[in-house]
Amino acid sequence: MKLIGIAIIITALAVVLTACGDITGGDIQPERNNISINIVGNVDDSVIREFVFLSQQIDIFDLPYRVQGAKIYGERIYYWYADSEGNIVVASVTHDGANRQSIQIPALGGVIEIGGLKIVDNGNIELVYSLTAGIGESTLIYGMYTEQGVEITSKDLSNIMPSDFEHIRLIEAVFTDEGYIALSVVVGEARHEILLLNSEKMLIGQLPVHRNDRISLLRYDRVVIWNQDSTDSTLREIDFDTGDFGDVLQLSVQNFRNLFCAGYDSEYDLLIFDGINIIGYELATVTATPLFNWVETNLGAAHEFDIGFLQSGQIFVIYSAIDTTGWNTELFILMRTSRDEIDDDYTVITLGGAWVSPEIRRFVATFNRNNQEYQIKILCYDTMFGWDAGTTRFNIDMIAGQGPDIIVGQSAESLEESLFLACLYSFIDTDPDISRNDFLPGIIKGLESRDGRLQVISNNFDIFLLSALSETMAQVGELTYENIIRWLSESQSRHLGPEWFNREWLVRESLLSFSDEFIDWENGIAHLDSDEFIDLLNIAYTLPPPEQFGFRREFDDLLNGNQLFDFGILYNVDSLRSGRRNVFGETELGEMIPAGVPSSAPGRHEFMTDIQTLAGINAGSEQPQTAWRFVRLLLLPESFTGRRGMPLRIDVLENLITASMTPSLVNGEEVPRTTPLGQRLYAMTDEDEAMLRAVIDNTTIRQRRNEILENIISEGLAQFFAGNATAEDAARIIQSRISIYLAERN
């Protein structure tokens, strides 16, 4: 073991434990077979203790669109969306996914947001939607249609809006049985309001609300306003008779994330999602009944979803997620089953960390649904203990040999350079479907620890891009520290980059990431008394301190040659051609070119791993091969979501480049395509491709973190940046302290 690393962790834990008080007393190991409940007040937890809701995925024909809402009417599940042609589609299925029906409201010629709809007893459908044809050109429309999709009536609600409503963005709409409608809208850029309409669709109330205020329908036609960010657990009822706010209702559930109408056939007034459980709530008795744990039911992480009871007592859940192909929608039916009836003849492995991302939760749900022999249990330490205490508890469990089998997120990253994590090469090299050659060589090499082990892996990454005007780069030459100092010294107006390029950032990144010359990690030797490091300190001295973070007039400074770098993130194959200006290519600034990071070996770029999908395997796991069965899922081609990040796999990258270079043709003429992130781009050119490949091929430096070294650097630079020490003095102090650290570490 690397004893210094363990000793440092134990020492740090001792300090934290002393401050945490009760956490050191008694056995605080969580009961991992129990279900987490985040509730206070009158709680009936018998349902969640005695029953589990098993999820069955229903085929809804690979729906490639974002479902904008769903509700129950009878035994049918209705859901609605806008298709690629701009039509509004209202579809419905029975609870087994059979007998799909749909109506289509013809293309309306713009971006459509459907606020909500209501199914009337005679089968007619009412809905409110917004139609945006251009910037600031939104129209709010109410419509009623037959169950065959024939328009009965339509009304432009923009005509009844107050005179100061120049631009309206619809967020959601709630309909009551008495014909009232509540609309949540954003007026202009940031003014949030609830608009109340009567049965004649005339404006009867205008309620100013806070950002992230939501509206929900409860039983008995009650409509309430609640805030998604608030912790006070209150609902404000809407009084349609007065067109104003009504009663304030106090719930006994803390920190809820979302509220839903349980449905007319439910015994509950509303359903609550607290981030962990789905809870049925009865207002009259102030009773919260946890129904099921979201993760245990093997549902993927979803920021927005719809849920409700069917007449049979089953629960439906529907949500949409985006991947490399665009949107896909999943529908699940949850069936309540006694825990005594469940066949639990399977092997349980644990996955956890101080925080478990929604992406990892989605993969866990998929793994558990598709495996009878193995099941993963999530241990999210911040949920069990709180963030600070959870991080401490995670470290204690790892040291004691009781940590999760699979370590994810920042917790995995914090264990690098130790022997707590297994080397993943031993699994990759024996896997029949995965090879080291599947991955970009510069990135996979950069993911290795300093001693050549691959302890963590993520299926995507971002590239940190420093770009510069070609004319300015010609003045500087190669981005060595000596050349940068010469260029800066030629004019007092010159500076390195945006103001967040602060002095400590540059030194820290140069020591930990940019340059291999300053620290020889393999042999444990520091070279910080060199002329190059002293040059680096003198460059850093010209930069602002962190507390002076701000933004200059970057365009002007870049254009007149006084600023060397501009900053960008390459997060997909198209990002160098999109955004507020091109990172590369011809812009209003002139020709921008990739510069790489400053070092004595210039031309290389830095990458950042995606914490969302970062994972490693506990070296002490008793089920390492089972743990690998999960980690390998992250590395398969179909696992790359494309939501954000460059793919680690070469084949996925090639497919994305090919797709980006393929023009979208209409009547033989190219039209811009819309990416999953909403960008409208023409096909990538050969020049674009060559630039992209050159950047990727030269991306070999991983952004690293080391809290101990960061503290040494910060303390060693304090007197120098205060003007009380020379660069040589600062270099000597930092050299001495880092040398001691490296000697102890090795």
Side-chain angles (χ1 to χ4, degrees):
M1 295 287 287
K2 296 181 178 176
L3 298 180
I4 182 64
I6 304 300
I8 290 169
I9 292 175
I10 292 175
T11 301
L13 288 178
V15 174
V16 175
L17 289 174
T18 302
C20 287
D22 291 344
I23 196 170
T24 60
D27 180 12
I28 63 165
Q29 183 73 13
E31 295 182 29
R32 290 174 176 169
N33 292 326
N34 289 345
I35 303 304
S36 298
I37 300 178
N38 182 31
I39 302 172
V40 297
N42 188 4
V43 178
D44 174 11
D45 63 358
S46 59
V47 174
I48 202 168
R49 300 298 178 185
E50 297 176 15
F51 300 95
V52 62
F53 280 80
L54 301 179
S55 60
Q56 176 184 353
Q57 188 165 3
I58 303 301
D59 182 9
I60 51 174
F61 310 99
D62 297 322
L63 187 68
Y65 305 110
R66 176 177 68 91
V67 165
Q68 298 185 24
K71 65 170 38 179
I72 293 293
Y73 185 74
E75 274 297 307
R76 299 189 68 82
I77 304 167
Y78 284 77
Y79 53 95
W80 49 92
Y81 56 89
D83 66 17
S84 58
E85 304 300 321
N87 303 301
I88 293 177
V89 180
V90 180
S92 67
V93 294
T94 54
H95 66 273
D96 57 358
N99 190 21
R100 182 181 187 271
Q101 301 173 2
S102 66
I103 66 170
Q104 187 180 83
I105 299 171
L108 301 165
V111 177
I112 296 170
E113 288 293 332
I114 307 165
L117 62 75
K118 175 186 175 184
I119 300 97
V120 188
D121 288 340
N122 59 12
N124 292 342
I125 294 172
E126 294 181 273
L127 58 84
V128 174
Y129 62 91
S130 64
L131 177 63
T132 304
I135 298 176
E137 299 177 8
S138 291
T139 304
L140 208 57
I141 299 172
Y142 162 83
M144 178 181 287
Y145 305 86
T146 68
E147 52 188 340
Q148 290 77 35
V150 178
E151 181 181 297
I152 299 173
T153 184
S154 178
K155 184 172 185 177
D156 186 347
L157 299 179
S158 306
N159 297 328
I160 65 171
M161 294 295 111
S163 58
D164 62 337
F165 278 34
E166 295 181 359
H167 173 59
I168 303 176
R169 180 161 57 92
L170 178 64
I171 305 299
E172 55 192 336
V174 169
F175 296 75
T176 74
D177 284 344
E178 294 184 357
Y180 295 112
I181 304 176
L183 304 177
S184 174
V185 300
V186 177
V187 182
E189 293 296 323
R191 196 169 106 213
H192 292 248
E193 299 209 4
I194 305 295
L195 306 179
L196 308 180
L197 309 183
N198 61 15
S199 57
E200 284 75 39
K201 309 308 173 274
M202 298 301 295
L203 186 66
I204 59 172
Q206 182 180 341
L207 309 179
V209 293
H210 298 291
R211 180 178 180 271
N212 288 336
D213 272 0
R214 303 283 303 276
I215 49 176
S216 294
L217 178 69
L218 312 183
R219 280 201 301 177
Y220 312 123
D221 247 11
R222 302 173 75 176
V223 179
V224 295
I225 304 171
W226 57 281
N227 191 282
Q228 207 163 23
D229 294 335
S230 176
T231 59
D232 63 2
S233 302
T234 59
L235 311 178
R236 288 180 294 170
E237 195 165 0
I238 292 175
D239 187 338
F240 284 98
D241 291 333
T242 63
D244 204 345
F245 296 110
D247 295 336
V248 175
L249 309 175
Q250 184 72 42
L251 301 187
S252 63
V253 179
Q254 292 182 328
N255 302 330
F256 48 81
R257 305 279 185 87
N258 217 329
L259 301 182
F260 304 91
C261 178
Y264 291 108
D265 298 308
S266 170
E267 61 188 288
Y268 304 110
D269 295 292
L270 67 154
L271 295 177
I272 299 172
F273 180 54
D274 68 350
I276 301 172
N277 306 297
I278 293 292
I279 302 159
Y281 198 88
E282 297 174 76
L283 289 168
T285 59
V286 196
T287 301
T289 304
L291 301 176
F292 66 86
N293 176 279
W294 185 271
V295 174
E296 185 191 35
T297 310
N298 292 326
L299 296 170
H303 295 292
E304 295 291 339
F305 59 92
D306 280 280
I307 185 171
F309 275 92
L310 301 170
Q311 290 179 347
S312 61
Q314 297 172 326
I315 296 175
F316 84 93
V317 174
I318 189 169
Y319 54 78
S320 299
I322 194 170
D323 58 22
T324 52
T325 61
W327 288 99
N328 66 80
T329 294
E330 296 180 313
L331 170 63
F332 298 91
I333 300 299
L334 311 182
M335 296 162 286
R336 192 172 82 164
T337 305
S338 171
R339 291 185 181 274
D340 295 336
E341 299 176 10
I342 298 176
D343 179 10
D344 58 358
D345 185 20
Y346 50 78
T347 300
V348 175
I349 61 172
T350 52
L351 172 149
W355 171 72
V356 181
S357 73
E359 283 292 287
I360 288 293
R361 291 177 185 272
R362 183 174 65 84
F363 281 111
V364 170
T366 301
F367 181 92
N368 286 346
R369 287 200 302 267
N370 296 331
N371 281 277
Q372 300 298 320
E373 187 178 358
Y374 304 100
Q375 290 287 287
I376 292 175
K377 184 172 182 60
I378 294 177
L379 303 179
C380 191
Y381 281 77
D382 71 323
T383 297
M384 293 189 292
F385 301 108
W387 179 256
D388 291 335
T391 301
T392 300
R393 183 67 208 188
F394 170 81
N395 290 330
I396 291 174
D397 281 0
M398 291 301 300
I399 293 171
Q402 298 175 347
D405 298 290
I406 303 163
I407 315 297
V408 296
Q410 292 168 317
S411 301
E413 190 173 50
S414 70
L415 293 178
E416 290 188 83
E417 309 299 335
S418 76
L419 294 180
F420 284 124
L421 296 179
C423 179
L424 298 179
Y425 282 143
S426 62
F427 302 97
I428 292 173
D429 292 342
T430 58
D431 193 290
D433 303 315
I434 296 176
S435 162
R436 300 190 196 199
N437 295 328
D438 292 334
F439 310 121
L440 292 166
I443 307 301
I444 201 70
K445 182 68 176 175
L447 283 170
E448 293 178 358
S449 60
R450 305 293 189 180
D451 57 5
R453 291 178 296 137
L454 183 67
Q455 296 173 291
V456 296
I457 200 163
S458 176
N459 66 19
N460 69 93
F461 62 94
D462 291 334
I463 298 177
F464 176 90
L465 291 173
L466 294 177
S467 54
L469 277 173
S470 57
E471 297 176 3
T472 307
M473 280 293 293
Q475 297 172 5
V476 177
E478 286 194 325
L479 287 179
T480 62
Y481 297 118
E482 181 180 4
N483 283 347
I484 292 174
I485 282 183
R486 174 188 53 77
W487 180 79
L488 289 170
S489 65
E490 290 176 355
S491 171
Q492 292 184 346
S493 300
R494 289 179 176 175
H495 51 266
L496 204 58
E499 289 193 27
W500 62 265
F501 267 56
N502 65 68
R503 49 183 57 164
E504 289 190 14
W505 177 88
L506 178 63
V507 177
R508 183 185 70 238
E509 291 297 307
S510 296
L511 286 180
L512 300 183
S513 302
F514 291 167
S515 297
D516 300 329
E517 65 193 291
F518 294 136
I519 299 179
D520 181 348
W521 292 92
E522 183 176 355
N523 298 306
I525 301 172
H527 302 290
L528 306 180
D529 51 359
S530 63
D531 292 340
E532 288 80 6
F533 186 64
I534 292 172
D535 285 345
L536 169 64
L537 294 183
N538 286 321
I539 293 173
Y541 191 81
T542 69
L543 300 177
E547 59 270 17
Q548 291 183 11
F549 173 87
F551 295 95
R552 296 187 184 91
R553 294 179 58 82
E554 290 182 39
F555 283 96
D556 292 343
D557 285 349
L558 283 165
L559 188 60
N560 62 30
N562 282 331
Q563 179 173 312
L564 178 54
F565 293 126
D566 192 19
F567 164 76
I569 297 288
L570 200 158
Y571 55 85
N572 64 32
V573 297
D574 291 317
S575 58
L576 81 167
R577 303 184 296 127
S578 61
R580 63 187 178 93
R581 64 172 181 270
N582 291 344
V583 176
F584 307 129
E586 294 293 334
T587 71
E588 62 268 37
L589 296 171
E591 186 183 6
M592 300 291 289
I593 59 176
V597 296
S599 71
S600 60
R604 297 177 299 166
H605 303 281
E606 183 187 33
F607 72 93
M608 297 149 285
T609 51
D610 179 22
I611 295 294
Q612 297 269 343
T613 58
L614 194 71
I617 295 176
N618 190 338
S621 171
E622 296 180 358
Q623 297 284 337
Q625 291 299 328
T626 306
W628 171 247
R629 287 177 64 133
F630 173 78
V631 173
R632 72 187 301 276
L633 283 181
L634 306 177
L635 307 177
L636 297 175
E638 58 269 24
S639 297
F640 179 73
T641 64
R643 200 175 314 178
R644 184 180 175 90
M646 298 289 293
L648 179 65
R649 290 190 62 104
I650 296 173
D651 53 356
V652 175
L653 176 66
E654 292 301 324
N655 290 338
L656 291 175
I657 291 176
T658 298
S660 185
M661 297 188 72
T662 303
S664 177
L665 302 178
V666 175
N667 298 325
E669 294 187 5
E670 183 178 2
V671 296
R673 59 184 176 82
T674 302
T675 70
L677 294 176
Q679 303 154 341
R680 295 179 62 80
L681 300 172
Y682 290 95
M684 181 188 294
T685 66
D686 292 340
E687 292 77 12
D688 294 331
E689 180 198 14
M691 181 75 76
L692 174 67
R693 291 188 183 278
V695 170
I696 294 173
D697 290 344
N698 288 304
T699 300
T700 58
I701 305 169
R702 180 183 171 194
Q703 186 181 77
R704 295 180 181 272
R705 288 288 171 262
N706 184 308
E707 186 175 352
I708 296 172
L709 286 185
E710 289 178 17
N711 289 335
I712 290 174
I713 294 166
S714 180
E715 293 168 5
L717 293 175
Q719 291 300 311
F720 170 59
F721 287 146
N724 299 325
T726 65
E728 289 78 6
D729 291 337
R732 186 165 54 251
I733 293 171
I734 298 173
Q735 163 74 14
S736 174
R737 294 187 62 186
I738 289 183
S739 295
I740 293 172
Y741 166 79
L742 293 173
E744 292 173 340
R745 176 182 176 275
N746 286 278

